[in-house]
Amino acid sequence: MPPVLSMPEPICLIENVDGNTLVFNKDAEKILSEISQPVVVIAIVGKYRTGKSYLMNKLAGKRTGFALGSSIQSKTKGIWMWCIPHPQNPGQTLILLDTEGLGDVEKGDCKNDAWIFSLAVLLSSAFVFNSLGTIDQQSMEQLHYVTELTKLIKLKSSPEKKDESGEYKRIFPSFTWCVRDFTLLLEKDGKSITEDEYLMTSLEMKKGTDKKAKDYNLPRECILHFFHTHKCFVFDRPASKKKLRVLEELEESELEEEFVEQATRFYSYMIAESRVKTLAGGFEVTGRMLAVLAESYVKAIQSGTVPCMENAVLALSQIENTGALQDALSKYEREMDNHVLRFPTETQQEFLNLHMEREKEAIKVFLGRSLNDKDQKYQHKLKELIDNKMNEYSTKNETASRDFCRKLLQQLSLTLEDDILAGKYSVPGGHKLYLMEKLKVMEAYNVTPGKGIKALEVMQEYISEKKDVEAAVIQADNTLTEKERQLAEERAQAENAEREKAIMEQNNRNLQQRMDDQNRSFEQHKEMLMDKMEQERKMMMQQNELVIAQKLKEQEVMMNAGFQDKINALQQEINSLRHQNSSSNGGCVVL
C-alpha cells in the first residue's frame, strides 16, 4: 500500500511571476512524484474575488487553506495545489487546484489568464467555473477563454485532414458552473426548474447565422462540445457583507442556512461524481504522471508554443515505460535474491518454476505501470532483461550446487584421503579395500539431499581426480592377476562412460526444460498482455459510450436551434464511435 499522503496546507503548483512567466514549482513536483495512486483533480477558475477559494477549502474539509482574501486584490497567483487522501475512495488521491482570479486589473495581460484557464482544463478531471449573479451574456463573455481552447491546446502534434474536435469531449474534464450570490427564482414559463435545467436553458442556442447570433452561440457551443458532463449549482450569499471579510473565521452556524445546505450539496456531488483523471483510452493518471504532464505543458507555454496533448502523453509514456521496466526488473531481482540463500534447488525444473513465478510478478508490475507501449517495445525489452538475469541466477544456482557437492565430498572422503596418504591401499588386497571405501563415499553422497543440479558432474570430477590414485592402487595390489587388473580398469572405464552418459542425458533434459521454459515464458507474457489489452479495450468502449451519450445531448441542442450541418457532423462522430466499438478486437501482440 502507498503511504498515506499528509499535506497540511496548499502549495504553489505553477507560479505566475510578474504576470507573464509561468514556473513549475519543483517542491510541488516532488510531492506529486510520490503519489503512485490514481488522482481525482478538481480545478476551479473564475473572476477574482468570487469565492473560489472558499469552495476549494470546503472540498478539502477545512475552513482555511487556500487564501480567501477580503480586498479587491487577487490573493491567488498562478495555480495552487492541495493533495489529500480521497474522502470516499481509499485507493485514490484528491488534488484540488485553485487558480488566480481571471480579469485581475493588476496583471494587464489577458493572455496570461488564457494560459491559466487552459492549464486548469488540461490538468483537471473536474472543471469548476465560478461566477457571480446569474448565467447571462455577461457571464458568458467572462467565459470567452473557452472559445479559444482550440488555439490554446492541440490534440495532435501534426495536423491531419480529419477533424479531431470530436475528441475533446473524451479528454477534457467535466464542467460544473457555480453561480454565487444567486437571487433569482429557478423558474421557466412559470414552472420550477432544477439548477441543471437552468444551466441547459442558459446554453440554448439562437437560430441564425449573422454575427450577433454567432457571437451569442459560440461560448455555449464550446461548453457543450468540449466538456463531457454539465452540472450547475446556485448559491445564496453566505453572510452579510461585514461578515464576508472574515468568512474563514466563521462557524457554519454563523452562515446563512440556505448557503450551508447548497455548499454541502456541492461537496457531496463533487466528491462522489468527480472521476479519476484519465488520458485518451481510459489510462488512469497518477500524481507522478500529473507532474510530468504539468511540466510538459508549462515548458510548451514558456517556449512560445501551444501545449500538445499527444506530445505530452508521448513524453509521459517514455518516462512511465522506462520506470515500469526498472520497477519490474527490480521486483524480479528482489524476489530472486530472497531465494539465493536457499540455493541450490534440487532440480533445474524447481529453479525454472521459481523463475516463472517471479517473472509473472514482474510482468504484473510492468503492466500495472506501463503506458501506451506501442508494439510492446518495452515489454520485449523486459523479457530480454529478465532472461539475462535468469541466466545469472542460474549460474549462481549451479555454483551453489558445485560448492555444496565439493564440500560434501570433501567431508565424506576424509577417511579415504587419510588412508591414501597413509598408504593403506598400497598393499596386497588394497584395491578391494579401496573400492569398498570409495563405494561407501559414493553411497553416502548419493543419499544426501540438497546437492542440486551439478551433483552428477561434481561426482564425475571427483572420480576423475582419483583415477590415477586408483590405477596406482591396482598396480600395487600384487594379489591381482594381469587379467584381473585389466578387468578392474575396464570396469572403471565402463562406470566412467555410464556416468558421462547420465550427465549428457541430464544436460539434454535440462536443455529441453530451458526450451520449454522459454515457450512458457512467451505464453505468460502474451497471456498477461492480452488480459491488459482486453481491459484497455473495455475501457475504450466504456469511454466511447459515455462520449456518445453526451454527443446525443449536444445533438439535441443543435436540433432545437436548427443547425443541420452541426447535427450531421455530430452524427458522423457518433457513427464513428459506434463503429470503433463494434469493430474493436483488442489489437494484436507482437512479442
Side-chain angles (χ1 to χ4, degrees):
M1 289 288 292
V4 176
L5 184 69
S6 179
M7 192 174 171
E9 59 185 8
I11 186 174
C12 185
L13 173 66
I14 299 171
E15 186 179 359
N16 186 2
V17 181
D18 299 327
N20 56 29
T21 302
L22 299 177
V23 178
F24 184 52
N25 186 354
K26 292 299 179 182
D27 290 335
E29 179 185 22
K30 184 178 179 181
I31 292 172
L32 287 175
S33 66
E34 294 174 355
I35 301 175
S36 58
Q37 292 182 327
V39 293
V40 175
V41 188
I42 303 176
I44 191 166
V45 299
K47 221 173 149 50
Y48 69 100
R49 297 297 304 122
T50 55
K52 302 189 307 302
S53 298
Y54 177 88
L55 290 181
M56 299 309 274
N57 288 339
K58 178 74 175 176
L59 291 176
K62 305 288 185 180
R63 263 193 326 198
T64 61
F66 291 112
L68 301 189
S70 59
S71 69
I72 60 170
Q73 288 183 309
S74 172
K75 290 291 181 181
T76 306
K77 299 296 183 183
I79 300 178
W80 283 67
M81 172 187 81
W82 204 350
C83 306
I84 59 174
H86 197 286
Q88 294 182 1
N89 304 323
Q92 299 172 2
T93 296
L94 177 63
I95 298 181
L96 305 173
L97 301 180
D98 189 17
T99 63
E100 67 178 75
L102 304 177
D104 185 354
V105 293
E106 293 182 359
K107 287 187 292 189
D109 185 2
C110 62
K111 189 172 184 180
N112 185 265
D113 282 347
W115 288 130
I116 295 293
F117 187 95
S118 63
L119 283 170
V121 170
L122 283 167
L123 297 176
S124 66
S125 57
F127 180 86
V128 180
F129 181 68
N130 198 63
S131 68
L132 293 176
T134 60
I135 301 179
D136 54 19
Q137 191 56 25
Q138 183 179 359
S139 59
M140 283 289 176
E141 288 173 359
Q142 292 175 13
L143 250 177
H144 68 90
Y145 306 103
V146 78
T147 67
E148 302 171 10
L149 283 175
T150 53
K151 299 176 184 176
L152 299 170
I153 299 170
K154 285 200 305 182
L155 291 182
K156 303 289 185 181
S157 57
S158 56
E160 300 177 2
K161 291 183 179 179
K162 179 184 175 183
D163 181 16
E164 298 288 344
S165 62
E167 289 294 297
Y168 282 99
K169 198 182 290 287
R170 183 197 303 279
I171 299 167
F172 276 14
S174 61
F175 180 89
T176 299
W177 196 323
C178 290
V179 187
R180 310 295 291 275
D181 298 353
F182 186 77
T183 56
L184 301 180
L185 292 176
L186 284 174
E187 290 183 352
K188 182 181 180 183
D189 300 329
K191 296 180 180 180
S192 296
I193 59 173
T194 65
E195 293 160 304
D196 291 347
E197 288 171 336
Y198 172 60
L199 173 61
M200 296 312 294
T201 298
S202 303
L203 294 178
E204 288 177 355
M205 300 172 68
K206 287 183 177 179
K207 296 181 180 180
T209 56
D210 58 14
K211 185 178 183 306
K212 187 175 181 181
K214 287 182 177 179
D215 290 345
Y216 179 89
N217 289 336
L218 184 57
R220 291 166 171 81
E221 183 181 353
C222 289
I223 292 171
L224 290 167
H225 192 61
F226 291 142
F227 303 101
H228 58 74
T229 308
H230 306 90
K231 184 71 179 174
C232 181
F233 289 94
V234 298
F235 298 83
D236 287 6
R237 178 172 286 221
S240 65
K241 186 175 181 180
K242 184 177 180 181
K243 287 185 177 180
L244 284 177
R245 296 172 184 171
V246 290
L247 188 58
E248 62 186 15
E249 299 175 14
L250 299 180
E251 299 287 345
E252 277 199 356
S253 59
E254 299 177 81
L255 299 175
E256 292 295 331
E257 184 178 341
E258 191 74 16
F259 175 81
V260 172
E261 181 185 325
Q262 292 159 344
T264 300
R265 285 194 298 108
F266 169 77
Y267 171 87
S268 299
Y269 174 84
M270 296 303 298
I271 295 300
E273 299 299 327
S274 298
R275 304 178 197 165
V276 168
K277 171 73 176 171
T278 58
L279 304 173
F283 298 104
E284 293 187 339
V285 174
T286 63
R288 179 182 60 239
M289 294 162 69
L290 189 70
V292 175
L293 292 173
E295 183 173 29
S296 176
Y297 295 143
V298 171
K299 280 183 178 179
I301 291 170
Q302 289 309 117
S303 67
T305 60
V306 175
C308 174
M309 300 189 80
E310 183 181 53
N311 287 346
V313 171
L314 180 61
L316 177 61
S317 298
Q318 292 174 341
I319 292 171
E320 285 299 293
N321 288 333
T322 301
L325 199 62
Q326 293 169 345
D327 289 350
L329 191 61
S330 296
K331 174 71 173 178
Y332 178 82
E333 288 183 283
R334 282 196 308 273
E335 294 296 324
M336 289 298 286
D337 284 343
N338 290 337
H339 289 79
V340 167
L341 293 177
R342 285 177 264 170
F343 281 177
T345 59
E346 196 66 44
T347 64
Q348 176 168 272
Q349 192 58 59
E350 183 184 338
F351 170 79
L352 293 176
N353 290 341
L354 172 67
H355 154 71
M356 284 291 291
E357 286 300 315
R358 304 293 85 80
E359 183 182 43
K360 186 175 182 179
E361 293 171 10
I363 299 169
K364 187 176 179 181
V365 168
F366 173 81
L367 294 177
R369 181 174 176 180
S370 65
L371 174 68
N372 199 27
D373 182 17
K374 291 185 177 179
D375 300 328
Q376 292 80 54
K377 170 186 169 185
Y378 287 90
Q379 189 172 353
H380 184 80
K381 182 65 174 176
L382 174 64
K383 186 176 186 325
E384 179 185 323
L385 291 172
I386 287 182
D387 285 348
N388 291 339
K389 283 294 176 183
M390 188 265 281
N391 289 333
E392 292 179 16
Y393 285 107
S394 179
T395 300
K396 288 182 180 180
N397 192 39
E398 292 174 0
T399 300
S401 176
R402 286 185 180 279
D403 292 345
F404 180 89
C405 292
R406 284 169 178 163
K407 186 175 181 181
L408 176 63
L409 281 169
Q410 186 179 23
Q411 292 170 343
L412 294 175
S413 62
L414 283 174
T415 300
L416 179 64
E417 295 293 336
D418 289 344
D419 288 348
I420 290 171
L421 291 174
K424 181 178 180 179
Y425 307 114
S426 300
V427 295
H431 184 240
K432 184 177 181 180
L433 294 174
Y434 178 82
L435 287 179
M436 288 174 63
E437 190 61 35
K438 186 177 81 167
L439 183 61
K440 187 178 173 183
V441 170
M442 292 175 67
E443 286 177 345
Y445 178 83
N446 289 335
V447 298
T448 302
K451 297 186 295 296
I453 62 177
K454 292 299 178 180
L456 278 176
E457 288 185 26
V458 173
M459 173 55 79
Q460 178 69 342
E461 290 168 2
Y462 175 78
I463 298 298
S464 295
E465 290 170 3
K466 295 293 179 282
K467 183 179 178 181
D468 292 341
V469 173
E470 185 169 356
V473 169
I474 291 173
Q475 291 300 320
D477 191 346
N478 57 20
T479 65
L480 297 175
T481 67
E482 193 60 39
K483 182 67 174 176
E484 286 174 329
R485 286 192 179 96
Q486 185 179 350
L487 287 173
E489 290 174 357
E490 288 175 355
R491 185 168 56 249
Q493 290 174 0
E495 290 173 353
N496 183 70
E498 190 174 337
R499 285 191 297 271
E500 289 289 352
K501 180 182 177 184
I503 290 170
M504 184 178 295
E505 288 174 350
Q506 184 185 60
N507 287 339
N508 287 336
R509 284 196 301 273
N510 289 346
L511 180 61
Q512 184 60 49
Q513 287 173 348
R514 288 290 292 265
M515 293 172 63
D516 292 343
D517 176 77
Q518 281 295 313
N519 291 332
R520 282 199 302 158
S521 174
F522 176 84
E523 290 301 322
Q524 183 167 262
H525 275 263
K526 181 180 176 181
E527 182 181 350
M528 295 180 74
L529 177 60
M530 290 296 290
D531 287 343
K532 179 178 181 180
M533 292 175 71
E534 176 62 15
Q535 292 171 7
E536 291 175 356
R537 185 186 70 84
K538 288 179 178 178
M539 285 193 303
M540 175 65 82
M541 290 180 69
Q542 290 173 357
Q543 195 178 60
N544 283 350
E545 290 298 333
L546 291 171
V547 174
I548 288 170
Q550 291 302 320
K551 286 185 180 295
L552 287 170
K553 290 181 181 179
E554 185 182 350
Q555 195 178 46
E556 185 179 349
V557 174
M558 298 302 169
M559 196 175 295
N560 292 335
F563 296 130
Q564 191 59 47
D565 56 335
K566 297 186 184 300
I567 295 171
N568 294 340
L570 283 165
Q571 189 59 51
Q572 288 182 358
E573 293 172 10
I574 292 168
N575 292 342
S576 176
L577 290 169
R578 285 173 174 164
H579 177 71
Q580 284 180 30
N581 280 1
S582 63
S583 62
S584 175
N585 58 13
C588 60
V589 178
V590 296
L591 277 172

